[in-house]
Amino acid sequence: MASAVNPPLTPPPRTLRNVADLLAAGLITPAQAPGLEQVAKDYATAIPPAFANLIETPDDPIGRQVIPDAAECETDLTEDPDPIGDDALSPVPGIVHRYADRALLKPLLVCPLYCRFCFRREHVGPGGGVLDDAALNRALEWLRTHPDIHEVVMTGGDPLMLSPRRMRAIMVALEGMAHIHTIRIHSRVPVADPDRLDEEMAAALETSRSMWLVVHVNHARELTPQARAAIRRVQVRAIPVLGQSVLLRGVNDTPDALEALLRAQVATRIRPYYLHQLDPAPGTARFHVPIREGQRLLASLRGRVTGIAWPTYVIDIPGGHGKVPIAPDYLHEGPDGYLHAVAPDGTIHRLAREHG
């Protein structure tokens, strides 16, 4: 994406949704338009005013995440339309069951903004819509009749795009299932469109169950005063907030950028939870950071940031086999048979021999 384009001087009055909108906002050039019209045939665009206002240049860490690029039409042999196997693990529409004790509930496939690296980019968009009452009831009935499910993870799409009334109805339904102990909501809304997480929506999230909000944030600049205020509306209701990020080339793939992101989360009372290895969705190769590079990057911050800010670096094994940690390994067995630990400064120290 050419960086010579001048960004808008004022936030756009409405969500940018097509090539004409991007041209009018000064985020792409006329020469780029034909290639992006091809991209638009497969993948939706939406950049709300609050997020668009953060873009300083089209290829900066904010613009890069959300402005479409002609490279999205290029699919690598390693890429897959369903990289983590959601489709194969969906017993009824709106449910994904990958782990024994929990299930995903996807009440809609609409988002406030469409990230260019999204692993569900083949499915989400304005046409994805919301589960109608009958489909939602079938999904809830599946949860009701599976007592081995103790945690429901609401995702999508973005659950906070629901109306407060519909969100409250889902909360009430889940509260009526004695075996559901924990509810988790994964959302980009607090940073993408923070005004949507108003007092009414925050109140709709209140429940007798253990409720957690997981905010998707990839760069420190996303945590604006407005985003922090939206998150605070949830925190004051004793709902803990976790952070998840995707390791992205050109966004957070330097020690300084990643450190700033982690520190910004902690300053907002967000506990960094996951740092995701990029899922290989079609047309996302420009964001890929190799695993070994990601491990070195995270290791460079050991001892540099508080443990409170330390996320678990994970990969979702392609094919629906689940998420596993891929963090740097600080423990090795030496030729002397002893375990050796690598300190944050890189020095290696032999540990006392264990018994048993």
Side-chain angles (χ1 to χ4, degrees):
M1 188 70 67
S3 59
V5 183
N6 291 323
L9 298 178
T10 57
R14 57 184 175 79
T15 296
L16 306 176
R17 295 193 179 277
N18 52 47
V19 172
D21 289 344
L22 295 171
L23 276 168
L27 294 175
I28 63 170
T29 65
Q32 292 170 312
L36 299 186
E37 293 287 5
Q38 287 298 117
V39 174
K41 293 179 180 179
D42 294 319
Y43 306 121
T45 293
I47 311 175
F51 208 82
N53 193 39
L54 298 178
I55 301 172
E56 296 175 348
T57 63
D59 61 352
D60 75 1
I62 306 299
R64 184 173 173 82
Q65 293 182 64
V66 294
I67 299 173
D69 190 289
E72 294 175 44
C73 292
E74 302 168 9
T75 301
D76 187 87
L77 292 176
T78 63
E79 296 173 347
D80 188 323
D82 185 23
I84 64 172
D86 272 5
D87 293 346
L89 296 168
S90 181
V92 297
I95 295 289
V96 176
H97 187 206
R98 178 176 291 108
Y99 302 106
D101 70 332
R102 77 210 80 145
L104 303 185
L105 172 61
K106 299 193 292 183
L108 77 174
L109 292 173
V110 177
C111 295
L113 83 171
Y114 294 104
C115 300
R116 313 319 300 180
F117 52 86
C118 178
F119 67 92
R120 292 196 179 112
R121 64 204 310 264
E122 296 267 331
H123 304 288
V124 297
V130 180
L131 289 182
D132 62 24
D133 288 343
L136 179 59
N137 286 335
R138 281 193 295 273
L140 292 171
E141 183 62 20
W142 188 92
L143 292 170
R144 190 175 292 112
T145 56
H146 284 74
D148 52 328
I149 300 296
H150 302 305
E151 179 178 2
V152 172
V153 182
M154 288 183 63
T155 180
D158 195 311
L160 295 187
M161 293 293 283
L162 295 169
S163 69
R165 178 195 60 80
R166 196 166 179 84
M167 176 64 78
R168 185 69 220 140
I170 293 173
M171 290 295 109
V172 170
L174 294 176
E175 285 178 336
M177 304 177 199
H179 55 283
I180 302 297
H181 304 154
T182 304
I183 302 170
R184 220 192 310 161
I185 292 181
H186 287 220
S187 179
R188 198 91 158 99
V189 161
V191 298
D193 192 4
D195 288 346
R196 184 176 286 273
L197 182 49
D198 57 14
E199 290 291 343
E200 187 180 6
M201 177 59 85
L205 303 182
E206 290 190 287
T207 173
S208 59
R209 298 294 185 261
S210 172
M211 164 65 80
W212 300 73
L213 175 63
V214 183
V215 177
H216 179 171
V217 53
N218 296 316
H219 194 270
R221 283 205 282 122
E222 296 175 37
L223 288 168
T224 63
Q226 293 77 19
R228 292 171 188 246
I231 291 164
R232 188 66 181 148
R233 285 191 277 274
V234 171
Q235 291 169 328
V236 297
R237 289 174 162 83
I239 297 174
V241 180
L242 303 175
Q244 66 173 358
S245 310
V246 182
L247 182 59
L248 300 167
R249 178 70 75 203
V251 175
N252 52 26
D253 61 329
T254 66
D256 287 346
L258 187 57
E259 178 180 356
L261 169 61
L262 299 176
R263 289 189 183 280
Q265 290 180 71
V266 172
T268 312
R269 303 184 189 179
I270 298 172
R271 171 68 165 90
Y273 175 43
Y274 276 151
L275 176 65
H276 291 270
Q277 180 67 13
L278 179 72
D279 295 307
T284 62
R286 66 197 177 99
F287 292 104
H288 177 71
V289 178
I291 291 173
R292 292 301 185 195
E293 183 178 340
Q295 290 175 324
R296 289 192 296 271
L297 175 62
L298 200 55
S300 73
L301 300 184
R302 175 61 75 182
R304 183 166 154 179
V305 297
T306 171
I308 296 173
W310 194 259
T312 301
Y313 184 27
V314 294
I315 186 170
D316 224 322
I317 301 172
H321 301 289
K323 222 180 256 92
V324 293
I326 52 173
D329 187 0
Y330 297 94
L331 201 62
H332 309 278
E333 185 171 346
D336 56 5
Y338 283 80
L339 290 176
H340 294 73
V342 182
D345 63 2
T347 58
I348 299 173
H349 303 270
R350 191 176 73 173
L351 304 181
R353 190 180 296 277
E354 297 179 308
H355 299 287

PDB file of all heavy atoms in Angstrom, residues 19 38 52 59 61 85 89 94 104-105 116 119 123 132 140 149 164 176 239 248 267 292 294 306 319 328 330 351:
ATOM      1  N   VAL A  19     -14.686   1.034  -2.118  1.00  0.00           N
ATOM      2  CA  VAL A  19     -13.543   1.680  -2.743  1.00  0.00           C
ATOM      3  C   VAL A  19     -13.772   3.182  -2.885  1.00  0.00           C
ATOM      4  O   VAL A  19     -12.862   3.988  -2.657  1.00  0.00           O
ATOM      5  CB  VAL A  19     -13.248   1.030  -4.114  1.00  0.00           C
ATOM      6  CG1 VAL A  19     -12.186   1.819  -4.870  1.00  0.00           C
ATOM      7  CG2 VAL A  19     -12.787  -0.423  -3.927  1.00  0.00           C
ATOM      8  N   GLN A  38     -11.626  -5.733  -7.220  1.00  0.00           N
ATOM      9  CA  GLN A  38     -11.549  -7.204  -7.286  1.00  0.00           C
ATOM     10  C   GLN A  38     -11.577  -7.803  -5.883  1.00  0.00           C
ATOM     11  O   GLN A  38     -12.258  -8.796  -5.632  1.00  0.00           O
ATOM     12  CB  GLN A  38     -10.267  -7.633  -8.023  1.00  0.00           C
ATOM     13  CG  GLN A  38     -10.297  -7.404  -9.513  1.00  0.00           C
ATOM     14  CD  GLN A  38     -11.407  -8.208 -10.186  1.00  0.00           C
ATOM     15  OE1 GLN A  38     -12.329  -7.650 -10.772  1.00  0.00           O
ATOM     16  NE2 GLN A  38     -11.325  -9.525 -10.076  1.00  0.00           N
ATOM     17  N   ALA A  52     -10.842   4.836  11.804  1.00  0.00           N
ATOM     18  CA  ALA A  52     -10.258   5.544  10.666  1.00  0.00           C
ATOM     19  C   ALA A  52      -9.466   6.766  11.123  1.00  0.00           C
ATOM     20  O   ALA A  52      -8.442   7.122  10.520  1.00  0.00           O
ATOM     21  CB  ALA A  52     -11.352   5.952   9.689  1.00  0.00           C
ATOM     22  N   ASP A  59      -0.199   2.829   5.216  1.00  0.00           N
ATOM     23  CA  ASP A  59       0.567   1.625   5.552  1.00  0.00           C
ATOM     24  C   ASP A  59       1.126   1.679   6.965  1.00  0.00           C
ATOM     25  O   ASP A  59       2.054   0.946   7.306  1.00  0.00           O
ATOM     26  CB  ASP A  59       1.689   1.391   4.535  1.00  0.00           C
ATOM     27  CG  ASP A  59       2.694   2.542   4.482  1.00  0.00           C
ATOM     28  OD1 ASP A  59       2.448   3.586   5.126  1.00  0.00           O
ATOM     29  OD2 ASP A  59       3.727   2.391   3.798  1.00  0.00           O
ATOM     30  N   PRO A  61       0.704   1.085  11.190  1.00  0.00           N
ATOM     31  CA  PRO A  61       0.206  -0.124  11.862  1.00  0.00           C
ATOM     32  C   PRO A  61      -1.313  -0.190  12.007  1.00  0.00           C
ATOM     33  O   PRO A  61      -1.855  -1.276  12.196  1.00  0.00           O
ATOM     34  CB  PRO A  61       0.879  -0.053  13.242  1.00  0.00           C
ATOM     35  CG  PRO A  61       2.124   0.732  13.013  1.00  0.00           C
ATOM     36  CD  PRO A  61       1.746   1.766  12.008  1.00  0.00           C
ATOM     37  N   GLY A  85     -10.636 -25.095  11.063  1.00  0.00           N
ATOM     38  CA  GLY A  85     -11.597 -26.186  11.039  1.00  0.00           C
ATOM     39  C   GLY A  85     -12.932 -25.902  11.688  1.00  0.00           C
ATOM     40  O   GLY A  85     -13.618 -26.828  12.128  1.00  0.00           O
ATOM     41  N   LEU A  89     -16.478 -28.606  12.598  1.00  0.00           N
ATOM     42  CA  LEU A  89     -16.773 -28.836  14.020  1.00  0.00           C
ATOM     43  C   LEU A  89     -18.040 -28.108  14.464  1.00  0.00           C
ATOM     44  O   LEU A  89     -18.219 -27.821  15.638  1.00  0.00           O
ATOM     45  CB  LEU A  89     -15.575 -28.374  14.863  1.00  0.00           C
ATOM     46  CG  LEU A  89     -14.283 -29.162  14.616  1.00  0.00           C
ATOM     47  CD1 LEU A  89     -13.092 -28.463  15.245  1.00  0.00           C
ATOM     48  CD2 LEU A  89     -14.402 -30.575  15.163  1.00  0.00           C
ATOM     49  N   GLY A  94     -24.208 -21.760  14.187  1.00  0.00           N
ATOM     50  CA  GLY A  94     -23.973 -20.891  15.329  1.00  0.00           C
ATOM     51  C   GLY A  94     -23.170 -21.526  16.447  1.00  0.00           C
ATOM     52  O   GLY A  94     -22.797 -20.831  17.400  1.00  0.00           O
ATOM     53  N   LEU A 104     -18.128 -22.593  21.184  1.00  0.00           N
ATOM     54  CA  LEU A 104     -18.323 -21.253  20.656  1.00  0.00           C
ATOM     55  C   LEU A 104     -19.788 -21.068  20.301  1.00  0.00           C
ATOM     56  O   LEU A 104     -20.422 -21.963  19.736  1.00  0.00           O
ATOM     57  CB  LEU A 104     -17.489 -21.025  19.383  1.00  0.00           C
ATOM     58  CG  LEU A 104     -15.983 -21.228  19.438  1.00  0.00           C
ATOM     59  CD1 LEU A 104     -15.369 -20.816  18.101  1.00  0.00           C
ATOM     60  CD2 LEU A 104     -15.348 -20.456  20.571  1.00  0.00           C
ATOM     61  N   LEU A 105     -20.313 -19.902  20.633  1.00  0.00           N
ATOM     62  CA  LEU A 105     -21.630 -19.485  20.184  1.00  0.00           C
ATOM     63  C   LEU A 105     -21.429 -18.275  19.283  1.00  0.00           C
ATOM     64  O   LEU A 105     -20.904 -17.246  19.719  1.00  0.00           O
ATOM     65  CB  LEU A 105     -22.520 -19.127  21.376  1.00  0.00           C
ATOM     66  CG  LEU A 105     -23.885 -18.496  21.048  1.00  0.00           C
ATOM     67  CD1 LEU A 105     -24.742 -19.442  20.213  1.00  0.00           C
ATOM     68  CD2 LEU A 105     -24.619 -18.097  22.326  1.00  0.00           C
ATOM     69  N   ARG A 116      -8.012  -7.239   7.667  1.00  0.00           N
ATOM     70  CA  ARG A 116      -7.562  -7.864   6.429  1.00  0.00           C
ATOM     71  C   ARG A 116      -6.859  -9.195   6.669  1.00  0.00           C
ATOM     72  O   ARG A 116      -6.596  -9.935   5.722  1.00  0.00           O
ATOM     73  CB  ARG A 116      -6.636  -6.922   5.651  1.00  0.00           C
ATOM     74  CG  ARG A 116      -7.096  -5.487   5.500  1.00  0.00           C
ATOM     75  CD  ARG A 116      -8.574  -5.322   5.218  1.00  0.00           C
ATOM     76  NE  ARG A 116      -9.031  -5.974   3.999  1.00  0.00           N
ATOM     77  CZ  ARG A 116     -10.285  -5.950   3.571  1.00  0.00           C
ATOM     78  NH1 ARG A 116     -11.210  -5.330   4.275  1.00  0.00           N
ATOM     79  NH2 ARG A 116     -10.609  -6.567   2.452  1.00  0.00           N
ATOM     80  N   PHE A 119      -9.164 -14.720  10.188  1.00  0.00           N
ATOM     81  CA  PHE A 119      -9.225 -16.122   9.790  1.00  0.00           C
ATOM     82  C   PHE A 119     -10.646 -16.548   9.411  1.00  0.00           C
ATOM     83  O   PHE A 119     -10.843 -17.628   8.867  1.00  0.00           O
ATOM     84  CB  PHE A 119      -8.666 -17.037  10.892  1.00  0.00           C
ATOM     85  CG  PHE A 119      -9.489 -17.085  12.151  1.00  0.00           C
ATOM     86  CD1 PHE A 119     -10.473 -18.048  12.308  1.00  0.00           C
ATOM     87  CD2 PHE A 119      -9.265 -16.198  13.177  1.00  0.00           C
ATOM     88  CE1 PHE A 119     -11.229 -18.111  13.470  1.00  0.00           C
ATOM     89  CE2 PHE A 119     -10.004 -16.246  14.341  1.00  0.00           C
ATOM     90  CZ  PHE A 119     -10.998 -17.210  14.482  1.00  0.00           C
ATOM     91  N   HIS A 123     -16.199 -15.796   5.747  1.00  0.00           N
ATOM     92  CA  HIS A 123     -17.557 -15.955   6.267  1.00  0.00           C
ATOM     93  C   HIS A 123     -18.192 -14.653   6.746  1.00  0.00           C
ATOM     94  O   HIS A 123     -19.404 -14.493   6.647  1.00  0.00           O
ATOM     95  CB  HIS A 123     -17.555 -16.956   7.421  1.00  0.00           C
ATOM     96  CG  HIS A 123     -16.980 -18.287   7.062  1.00  0.00           C
ATOM     97  ND1 HIS A 123     -17.636 -19.189   6.249  1.00  0.00           N
ATOM     98  CD2 HIS A 123     -15.802 -18.883   7.393  1.00  0.00           C
ATOM     99  CE1 HIS A 123     -16.888 -20.278   6.101  1.00  0.00           C
ATOM    100  NE2 HIS A 123     -15.776 -20.114   6.774  1.00  0.00           N
ATOM    101  N   ASP A 132     -31.361 -15.953  13.006  1.00  0.00           N
ATOM    102  CA  ASP A 132     -32.750 -15.597  13.306  1.00  0.00           C
ATOM    103  C   ASP A 132     -33.184 -16.310  14.586  1.00  0.00           C
ATOM    104  O   ASP A 132     -32.443 -17.116  15.149  1.00  0.00           O
ATOM    105  CB  ASP A 132     -33.668 -15.903  12.127  1.00  0.00           C
ATOM    106  CG  ASP A 132     -33.712 -17.388  11.756  1.00  0.00           C
ATOM    107  OD1 ASP A 132     -33.430 -18.243  12.626  1.00  0.00           O
ATOM    108  OD2 ASP A 132     -34.039 -17.693  10.591  1.00  0.00           O
ATOM    109  N   LEU A 140     -28.989 -22.515  21.143  1.00  0.00           N
ATOM    110  CA  LEU A 140     -29.122 -22.523  22.600  1.00  0.00           C
ATOM    111  C   LEU A 140     -29.608 -23.876  23.099  1.00  0.00           C
ATOM    112  O   LEU A 140     -29.172 -24.360  24.156  1.00  0.00           O
ATOM    113  CB  LEU A 140     -30.074 -21.418  23.046  1.00  0.00           C
ATOM    114  CG  LEU A 140     -29.554 -19.983  22.843  1.00  0.00           C
ATOM    115  CD1 LEU A 140     -30.660 -18.965  23.101  1.00  0.00           C
ATOM    116  CD2 LEU A 140     -28.349 -19.697  23.741  1.00  0.00           C
ATOM    117  N   ILE A 149     -20.740 -29.196  28.627  1.00  0.00           N
ATOM    118  CA  ILE A 149     -20.263 -27.857  28.262  1.00  0.00           C
ATOM    119  C   ILE A 149     -20.392 -26.948  29.486  1.00  0.00           C
ATOM    120  O   ILE A 149     -21.484 -26.727  29.992  1.00  0.00           O
ATOM    121  CB  ILE A 149     -21.065 -27.267  27.090  1.00  0.00           C
ATOM    122  CG1 ILE A 149     -20.941 -28.162  25.850  1.00  0.00           C
ATOM    123  CG2 ILE A 149     -20.600 -25.844  26.776  1.00  0.00           C
ATOM    124  CD1 ILE A 149     -19.543 -28.273  25.296  1.00  0.00           C
ATOM    125  N   PRO A 164     -28.484  -4.416  22.687  1.00  0.00           N
ATOM    126  CA  PRO A 164     -28.492  -4.770  24.107  1.00  0.00           C
ATOM    127  C   PRO A 164     -29.646  -5.707  24.468  1.00  0.00           C
ATOM    128  O   PRO A 164     -29.483  -6.613  25.297  1.00  0.00           O
ATOM    129  CB  PRO A 164     -28.610  -3.415  24.807  1.00  0.00           C
ATOM    130  CG  PRO A 164     -28.000  -2.440  23.853  1.00  0.00           C
ATOM    131  CD  PRO A 164     -28.394  -2.947  22.497  1.00  0.00           C
ATOM    132  N   GLY A 176     -29.966 -19.753  32.548  1.00  0.00           N
ATOM    133  CA  GLY A 176     -30.923 -20.815  32.851  1.00  0.00           C
ATOM    134  C   GLY A 176     -30.358 -22.211  32.687  1.00  0.00           C
ATOM    135  O   GLY A 176     -31.063 -23.202  32.938  1.00  0.00           O
ATOM    136  N   ILE A 239     -16.513  -7.108  35.761  1.00  0.00           N
ATOM    137  CA  ILE A 239     -16.248  -8.043  34.673  1.00  0.00           C
ATOM    138  C   ILE A 239     -14.783  -7.888  34.284  1.00  0.00           C
ATOM    139  O   ILE A 239     -14.371  -6.827  33.803  1.00  0.00           O
ATOM    140  CB  ILE A 239     -17.155  -7.757  33.456  1.00  0.00           C
ATOM    141  CG1 ILE A 239     -18.622  -7.960  33.830  1.00  0.00           C
ATOM    142  CG2 ILE A 239     -16.765  -8.645  32.276  1.00  0.00           C
ATOM    143  CD1 ILE A 239     -19.595  -7.554  32.736  1.00  0.00           C
ATOM    144  N   LEU A 248       1.526  -9.615  13.826  1.00  0.00           N
ATOM    145  CA  LEU A 248       1.330  -9.175  12.451  1.00  0.00           C
ATOM    146  C   LEU A 248       2.535  -8.408  11.930  1.00  0.00           C
ATOM    147  O   LEU A 248       3.010  -7.468  12.581  1.00  0.00           O
ATOM    148  CB  LEU A 248       0.099  -8.257  12.369  1.00  0.00           C
ATOM    149  CG  LEU A 248      -1.241  -8.855  12.808  1.00  0.00           C
ATOM    150  CD1 LEU A 248      -2.275  -7.755  12.979  1.00  0.00           C
ATOM    151  CD2 LEU A 248      -1.711  -9.897  11.798  1.00  0.00           C
ATOM    152  N   ALA A 267      -1.925  -0.871  31.397  1.00  0.00           N
ATOM    153  CA  ALA A 267      -2.317   0.458  31.866  1.00  0.00           C
ATOM    154  C   ALA A 267      -3.833   0.658  31.802  1.00  0.00           C
ATOM    155  O   ALA A 267      -4.390   1.483  32.531  1.00  0.00           O
ATOM    156  CB  ALA A 267      -1.623   1.536  31.029  1.00  0.00           C
ATOM    157  N   ARG A 292       9.554 -18.939  14.600  1.00  0.00           N
ATOM    158  CA  ARG A 292      10.835 -18.758  15.298  1.00  0.00           C
ATOM    159  C   ARG A 292      11.125 -17.275  15.531  1.00  0.00           C
ATOM    160  O   ARG A 292      11.662 -16.894  16.572  1.00  0.00           O
ATOM    161  CB  ARG A 292      11.977 -19.404  14.502  1.00  0.00           C
ATOM    162  CG  ARG A 292      11.918 -20.916  14.444  1.00  0.00           C
ATOM    163  CD  ARG A 292      11.967 -21.517  15.833  1.00  0.00           C
ATOM    164  NE  ARG A 292      12.037 -22.980  15.808  1.00  0.00           N
ATOM    165  CZ  ARG A 292      11.817 -23.757  16.850  1.00  0.00           C
ATOM    166  NH1 ARG A 292      11.493 -23.211  18.023  1.00  0.00           N
ATOM    167  NH2 ARG A 292      11.897 -25.067  16.760  1.00  0.00           N
ATOM    168  N   GLY A 294       8.791 -15.015  15.928  1.00  0.00           N
ATOM    169  CA  GLY A 294       7.876 -14.639  16.995  1.00  0.00           C
ATOM    170  C   GLY A 294       8.398 -15.043  18.363  1.00  0.00           C
ATOM    171  O   GLY A 294       8.283 -14.288  19.342  1.00  0.00           O
ATOM    172  N   THR A 306       6.777  -6.505  32.894  1.00  0.00           N
ATOM    173  CA  THR A 306       6.255  -7.265  34.015  1.00  0.00           C
ATOM    174  C   THR A 306       5.564  -8.543  33.561  1.00  0.00           C
ATOM    175  O   THR A 306       5.000  -8.615  32.463  1.00  0.00           O
ATOM    176  CB  THR A 306       5.250  -6.410  34.808  1.00  0.00           C
ATOM    177  OG1 THR A 306       4.591  -7.230  35.773  1.00  0.00           O
ATOM    178  CG2 THR A 306       4.188  -5.806  33.907  1.00  0.00           C
ATOM    179  N   GLY A 319      -6.704 -27.342  10.753  1.00  0.00           N
ATOM    180  CA  GLY A 319      -7.519 -28.543  10.675  1.00  0.00           C
ATOM    181  C   GLY A 319      -8.423 -28.751  11.868  1.00  0.00           C
ATOM    182  O   GLY A 319      -9.115 -29.767  11.963  1.00  0.00           O
ATOM    183  N   PRO A 328       8.701 -19.246  23.795  1.00  0.00           N
ATOM    184  CA  PRO A 328      10.119 -19.598  23.859  1.00  0.00           C
ATOM    185  C   PRO A 328      10.360 -20.608  24.977  1.00  0.00           C
ATOM    186  O   PRO A 328       9.714 -20.575  26.023  1.00  0.00           O
ATOM    187  CB  PRO A 328      10.803 -18.259  24.164  1.00  0.00           C
ATOM    188  CG  PRO A 328       9.822 -17.215  23.752  1.00  0.00           C
ATOM    189  CD  PRO A 328       8.474 -17.795  23.956  1.00  0.00           C
ATOM    190  N   TYR A 330      12.717 -21.998  27.801  1.00  0.00           N
ATOM    191  CA  TYR A 330      13.837 -21.536  28.623  1.00  0.00           C
ATOM    192  C   TYR A 330      14.514 -22.658  29.386  1.00  0.00           C
ATOM    193  O   TYR A 330      15.419 -22.405  30.171  1.00  0.00           O
ATOM    194  CB  TYR A 330      13.331 -20.479  29.619  1.00  0.00           C
ATOM    195  CG  TYR A 330      12.796 -19.236  28.940  1.00  0.00           C
ATOM    196  CD1 TYR A 330      11.448 -19.106  28.653  1.00  0.00           C
ATOM    197  CD2 TYR A 330      13.662 -18.212  28.559  1.00  0.00           C
ATOM    198  CE1 TYR A 330      10.964 -17.979  28.023  1.00  0.00           C
ATOM    199  CE2 TYR A 330      13.183 -17.077  27.928  1.00  0.00           C
ATOM    200  CZ  TYR A 330      11.823 -16.971  27.668  1.00  0.00           C
ATOM    201  OH  TYR A 330      11.357 -15.851  27.026  1.00  0.00           O
ATOM    202  N   LEU A 351      20.582 -26.179  36.948  1.00  0.00           N
ATOM    203  CA  LEU A 351      19.722 -26.333  38.107  1.00  0.00           C
ATOM    204  C   LEU A 351      20.137 -27.560  38.909  1.00  0.00           C
ATOM    205  O   LEU A 351      20.756 -28.487  38.379  1.00  0.00           O
ATOM    206  CB  LEU A 351      18.256 -26.484  37.657  1.00  0.00           C
ATOM    207  CG  LEU A 351      17.693 -25.381  36.775  1.00  0.00           C
ATOM    208  CD1 LEU A 351      16.239 -25.657  36.426  1.00  0.00           C
ATOM    209  CD2 LEU A 351      17.830 -24.015  37.462  1.00  0.00           C
TER     210      LEU A 351
END
